[in-house]
Amino acid sequence: MDICKRSGSNPILRPLDFVPAIEGMEIACLLNPGVFKMDHRIGLVIRVAERPKQKEGKISFPIYTKSGFKVLEFDKTDSDLDLSDPRVITYQGKNYLTTLSYFRFAFSDDGIHFYEDPAFPPVFGSRSSEAFGIEDCRVATMKDGYFLTFTEVSALAVGVGMMETVDFKHYTHHGMIFPPHNKDCAIFEEKINSKYYAFHRPSSPELGGNYMWIAESPDRLHWGNHICIAATREGHFDSARLGAGAAPIKTSEGWLEIYHGATKENRYCLGAMLLDLDNPTKVLARSEEPIMEPIAPYEQTGFFGNVVFSNGQIVEGDTVHIYYGASDEVICTADFSIREILDTLSVK
Ligand code: MAN
């Protein structure tokens, strides 16, 4: 099932719309933007993935070190190399990423046409836990500022970092708020019964799997009382992993969360979940079928095909304008009706 209305202008942003930020690199992908509103403009925190221009027979990629960017290069014929996933390189059993991601900003007055504003410089990984980059930013817009949660990637691990800002020019980096292995963290934009809540997605390789959890906090820095709210489902679009999208939408029926689910073949779709307004650890309903599937050509073919992945949206009355990464290469937008999503959900 697919109940969204894609914009006729899709893709709204492509790698060639930007100039690489790192000297000697090319932009391989634009991915999964966080979204916010500031001074009547819509802002995107775009995950930009760069790599060196690739030479025949070689594979090379940048990593971030204390003394700046460093390029690692391997011979494609090297038998110690595993290149089966375009996103990851495995060399002698160690994993690296084929690209390095950082955040770049684009603004729009109409939600469709985006442009860069030189007053907002890019944000790069700045600590050893971010040596392979920072990815998939969610922006929680709250009374006291914008709270950015994102994936920190390095040879050590994958975890969730948080930064706080009021102007997207100056940031306070709060460090890793969910330890490895964890990603897909979305903070609720208001407190419930005096507590902050956030979705997160730990991975448990032995028992359990890649499931969605919720946690509470007195201050957004220290999280506890972790509860698993949704596991993968055999035979469904979310059979291998699932994770939160943007902050949930408050509706009269509950908190509505648009999330991503993937199969083991790495087909990424979007689904929805409804949680109790007063106790968001209680899931009231969940999509049996996806509400969006990779069916447009730009969602099926690209850097990593068959992917729709959203972690940013703007709500306007009954409409949710989602911004999403398609095929891990281009940025697109589509609209959902909240009423229509709620009508698809089977209440437990
Ligand atoms: C992971 C993340 C996302 C990416 C998908 C699909 O979930 O790295 O950023 O879009 O995989 O590749």
Side-chain angles (χ1 to χ4, degrees):
M1 204 165 48
D2 189 286
I3 57 163
C4 73
K5 281 196 203 74
R6 288 168 178 76
S7 164
S9 307
N10 282 347
I12 56 169
L13 286 168
R14 300 179 161 87
L16 286 176
D17 295 331
F18 293 89
V19 175
I22 314 170
E23 222 188 289
M25 302 286 153
E26 64 176 11
I27 296 177
C29 330
L30 302 183
L31 306 97
N32 318 343
V35 182
F36 59 96
K37 257 194 188 155
M38 199 168 67
D39 304 331
H40 309 291
R41 295 195 296 181
I42 294 174
L44 301 182
V45 187
I46 302 172
R47 171 181 163 199
V48 179
E50 298 197 1
R51 64 176 175 200
K53 288 195 185 95
Q54 300 295 293
K55 292 185 228 145
E56 193 68 32
K58 306 267 185 207
I59 182 125
S60 59
F61 55 91
I63 60 169
Y64 181 79
T65 70
K66 277 200 187 102
S67 47
F69 295 103
K70 187 176 146 193
V71 172
L72 301 186
E73 188 179 85
F74 295 101
D75 242 317
K76 275 192 174 164
T77 52
D78 194 325
S79 57
D80 286 337
L81 206 58
D82 176 357
L83 299 175
S84 52
D85 188 324
R87 304 167 299 176
V88 186
I89 288 170
T90 309
Y91 187 71
Q92 295 180 336
K94 273 195 181 166
N95 289 333
Y96 301 90
L97 297 185
T98 54
T99 58
L100 182 126
S101 293
Y102 63 94
F103 299 145
R104 216 141 140 173
F105 300 92
F107 291 90
S108 174
D109 307 303
D110 62 5
I112 299 286
H113 301 93
F114 283 85
Y115 49 88
E116 281 198 281
D117 181 338
F120 298 85
V123 174
F124 293 96
S126 58
R127 35 188 75 207
S128 55
S129 53
E130 300 170 345
F132 291 179
I134 45 176
E135 306 183 347
D136 301 348
C137 184
R138 276 88 177 162
V139 181
T141 303
M142 306 188 75
K143 282 199 189 89
D144 52 342
Y146 300 98
F147 290 80
L148 280 54
T149 49
F150 50 89
T151 313
E152 298 186 1
V153 192
S154 74
L156 298 172
V158 172
V160 175
M162 183 168 82
M163 280 189 278
E164 181 182 345
T165 185
V166 288
D167 56 9
F168 289 91
K169 290 177 184 162
H170 309 90
Y171 300 87
T172 306
H173 199 313
H174 291 292
M176 203 180 264
I177 57 163
F178 286 98
H181 183 283
N182 208 315
K183 44 166 71 175
D184 300 326
C185 171
I187 300 178
F188 286 56
E189 291 178 319
E190 60 181 88
K191 284 186 185 176
I192 304 163
N193 300 323
S194 323
K195 287 177 200 150
Y196 293 105
Y197 281 87
F199 297 121
H200 64 106
R201 210 288 298 280
S203 292
S204 177
E206 283 106 25
L207 287 172
N210 303 300
Y211 304 161
M212 240 171 103
W213 290 60
I214 196 165
E216 59 180 51
S217 169
D219 57 5
R220 288 167 292 206
L221 296 178
H222 305 91
W223 295 91
N225 206 6
H226 302 268
I227 295 170
C228 180
I229 52 163
T232 48
R233 297 174 298 182
E234 194 67 46
H236 283 69
F237 66 96
D238 48 12
S239 57
R241 67 185 74 90
L242 68 157
I249 303 162
K250 195 175 192 181
T251 75
S252 57
E253 291 168 42
W255 295 100
L256 178 66
E257 175 64 10
I258 299 176
Y259 72 94
H260 67 268
T263 59
K264 69 174 178 354
E265 291 77 31
N266 287 314
R267 183 172 191 264
Y268 278 73
C269 293
L270 301 184
M273 214 178 274
L274 189 67
L275 305 120
D276 189 275
L277 275 184
D278 206 43
N279 173 14
T281 66
K282 201 168 142 199
V283 178
L284 304 175
R286 178 172 166 191
S287 299
E288 287 297 321
E289 300 283 328
I291 57 170
M292 181 175 185
E293 302 186 55
I295 50 177
Y298 48 82
E299 296 162 355
Q300 292 184 330
T301 318
F303 185 81
F304 193 71
N306 285 318
V307 173
V308 289
F309 190 106
S310 179
N311 46 276
Q313 65 207 10
I314 296 282
V315 178
E316 229 183 343
D318 177 59
T319 305
V320 193
H321 307 286
I322 65 152
Y323 291 86
Y324 66 100
S327 288
D328 279 358
E329 185 171 324
V330 292
I331 291 175
C332 298
T333 183
D335 289 350
F336 283 101
S337 147
I338 294 176
R339 185 67 262 156
E340 266 181 55
I341 299 178
L342 292 172
D343 288 345
T344 64
L345 293 177
S346 45
V347 176
K348 279 184 187 161

